[in-house]
Amino acid sequence: MRRPTTDPSTGARDGHAGPPGPLARDVHWARERRSAIGVALLLFAALIGMDAAGGRLDPTRAALWTGLAFLVFVILLPLRVSTRPGLLSARGLLVRHTVRTDSLVSVRWNDGVAQRMVLKDTDGNRVEIDPAVLVRNPEMWRRLDTDSRTSVRRGTLLCGVTALGELGERIDRQTARTVFKVSGLE
């Protein structure tokens, strides 16, 4: 039996058109990118300035400091997460990962220094994102929630319903807190 193939950039399955619908992006990504650029530039300027003031700046050290500043930028640059009906994509500097959210198999939490949510679909695709992205972007969360319910109805989502429920509760608390704050009831 042949496994269906999915074009990760469009979500098209076996030549069929991908899911229609508008794209929802992380509205805070541009600000976080600017912060990563700013930190890298400040580090670069500080290192070059200290070497120049000490009289030790040469092309080799300048190249080393440039490389170090670029490495800091790469580490700090967040993934660019976007959703559309049936798809969730996370794009880094060099790679892009996409899962079919209406065909999820598992959703797991990776706890560590930075909490991550790992989503896997029936095609074997895997995406790892920061759940705070979904908390900050209600439209993205609504799409993931709707599509994950489709996965539950189809019987493909076998592991992770609890994790999604916990995230939903977290988002509901944050939304209620924001409503109270805006209305002056906090």
Side-chain angles (χ1 to χ4, degrees):
M1 178 178 210
R2 190 173 79 76
R3 220 172 141 182
T5 58
T6 302
D7 178 355
S9 62
T10 64
R13 259 194 181 186
D14 288 332
H16 296 23
L23 185 68
R25 291 193 173 113
D26 181 4
V27 296
H28 300 281
W29 181 82
R31 181 177 52 203
E32 291 177 2
R33 180 188 59 188
R34 282 192 302 271
S35 294
I37 291 169
V39 168
L41 286 175
L42 283 172
L43 176 67
F44 176 73
L47 292 171
I48 292 291
M50 287 189 308
D51 261 5
R56 296 186 316 239
L57 185 61
D58 60 26
T60 304
R61 289 178 73 93
L64 177 69
W65 300 144
T66 303
L68 182 61
F70 182 73
L71 180 63
V72 167
F73 168 72
V74 169
I75 290 169
L76 294 178
L77 182 68
L79 292 175
R80 186 164 197 174
V81 180
S82 61
T83 60
R84 66 177 61 224
L87 293 175
L88 184 140
S89 297
R91 186 176 59 176
L93 196 59
L94 300 174
V95 295
R96 177 186 183 125
H97 298 282
T98 302
V99 292
R100 296 223 22 117
T101 52
D102 56 0
S103 301
L104 290 174
V105 174
S106 71
V107 178
R108 297 178 193 252
W109 293 104
N110 274 352
D111 288 324
V113 174
Q115 192 177 51
R116 295 282 183 231
M117 178 181 263
V118 181
L119 300 103
K120 294 181 185 176
D121 67 12
T122 55
D123 294 335
N125 299 317
R126 178 181 181 272
V127 169
E128 189 171 325
I129 63 168
D130 182 355
V133 171
L134 298 172
V135 172
R136 291 187 313 243
N137 297 281
E139 180 62 28
M140 292 174 71
W141 163 247
R142 280 193 293 276
R143 288 190 182 160
L144 177 61
D145 185 44
T146 300
D147 290 342
S148 64
R149 290 173 195 263
T150 302
S151 295
V152 170
R153 276 195 311 276
R154 290 179 179 168
T156 61
L157 185 57
L158 306 173
C159 177
V161 176
T162 305
L164 287 170
E166 290 172 1
L167 182 60
E169 289 173 7
R170 180 176 165 192
I171 291 170
D172 289 344
R173 281 192 305 272
Q174 182 67 30
T175 303
R177 202 173 292 126
T178 302
V179 168
F180 287 143
K181 191 178 203 176
V182 168
S183 62
L185 298 173
E186 187 177 53

